[in-house]
Amino acid sequence: MSGGARMTQEKNINIAIIPTWETVKSVLEQATQFLAGKDQDFISATTMCVTELIENAVKYGTLTPNGGDITFDMTVDEEKVKIQISNGIRNASDFEHVQRIIQHIESSDDPQQLYVQRLKELAERPKPGLSQLGLYRIAYEGRFRLEHRYVDGVLTVSAHRAIA
Amino acid sequence: MGTETKDYSLKCEPARAVLSGQFSLSNPMEFENIFAEIQQGIEEAGDSYTIDVVGTHFMSSSGITALARVVMHARKNGKKLVLVVDEGMLWQRKTVVALQNLWEKLEIRKQQG
């Protein structure tokens, strides 16, 4: 190799998900096996991120406009991991809600403070409801950066971080 | 008393609850139903109540929210609450920091899982 370039070995896993709760467990098992050999905290953070994103897609998402399944994609090399979940959405307000949360998280340099604030709001509600803590947890506990895009009726949420 | 499934277990004793397994339920209301038993235990307990999550290797964000509501419930009822955790587990380590931000008097005991 010339110029001191590093060749990184990249692994990828891509799964089409039928949106059921049994599927969430199955994907989590496959993702955990896929990460074997990595640091335990990294595995915990990444499997947590996978679980939270897939649960959101199953809870709030639908099949894509062309009838496609929810898709899960994860790529890992020696330095970083990237996770992507794509799904259809029921209406524009669902997308706007996700967009607001991700923009809120990404505009802050203190994910712990955002997470604690959100947890406090949820804990003080007189009645329980939808948690909506998952994305905040991915940023705080998992140390992931979040992105999203919405094209042709398909919402894709991505999370990425360095392995170290 | 308690609940047991193939994924998780909740054992409730007087003044103590032990959670173990994987809590990844499909609906926040399922967590509320499970944790209602803990909230009742807190109300009926003497001065102090202990929640042991050392054996819980995963809890979803809905479960963490329900746990936070239990912390607030103990605070409102004027009961001392002790949370026993395994610092070796990332989710427990990070959640403890957040829960102590909700109530600085929450007592944390660290154990090896």
Side-chain angles (χ1 to χ4, degrees), chain A residues 73-162:
Chain A
D73 187 281
M74 180 161 69
T75 302
V76 183
D77 62 28
E78 283 98 354
E79 294 176 340
K80 59 189 181 302
V81 59
K82 182 172 181 178
I83 299 161
Q84 264 186 192
I85 307 285
S86 297
N87 55 266
I89 57 171
R90 294 185 177 93
N91 51 58
S93 64
D94 288 344
F95 160 66
E96 286 159 8
H97 179 73
V98 169
Q99 183 179 47
R100 258 197 314 274
I101 293 178
I102 291 179
Q103 286 175 346
H104 185 211
I105 292 169
E106 289 302 306
S107 67
S108 167
D109 58 4
D110 192 347
Q112 176 178 315
Q113 192 264 340
L114 289 189
Y115 180 85
V116 169
Q117 184 181 339
R118 183 62 186 152
L119 188 61
K120 187 168 188 286
E121 287 166 7
L122 294 168
E124 289 178 344
R125 278 183 185 170
K127 289 182 184 177
L130 293 176
S131 170
Q132 300 174 345
L133 185 68
L135 293 174
Y136 293 96
R137 185 185 184 187
I138 288 168
Y140 160 59
E141 183 182 318
R143 290 167 43 215
F144 280 86
R145 301 303 303 264
L146 290 162
E147 292 171 1
H148 70 292
R149 65 178 186 273
Y150 182 54
V151 178
D152 296 333
V154 178
L155 172 66
T156 298
V157 177
S158 307
H160 61 94
R161 60 163 274 180

Side-chain angles (χ1 to χ4, degrees), chain B residues 75-93:
Chain B
R75 180 178 180 174
K76 283 176 196 161
N77 278 265
K79 298 290 172 80
K80 176 181 168 184
L81 186 64
V82 179
L83 187 62
V84 186
V85 301
D86 177 358
E87 270 232 316
M89 289 211 212
L90 177 69
W91 86 263
Q92 294 188 29
R93 213 158 63 229

Side-chain angles (χ1 to χ4, degrees), chain B residues 54-70:
Chain B
V54 168
T56 302
H57 53 85
F58 180 77
M59 185 168 289
S60 72
S61 54
S62 296
I64 292 172
T65 301
L67 187 57
R69 290 173 67 81
V70 166

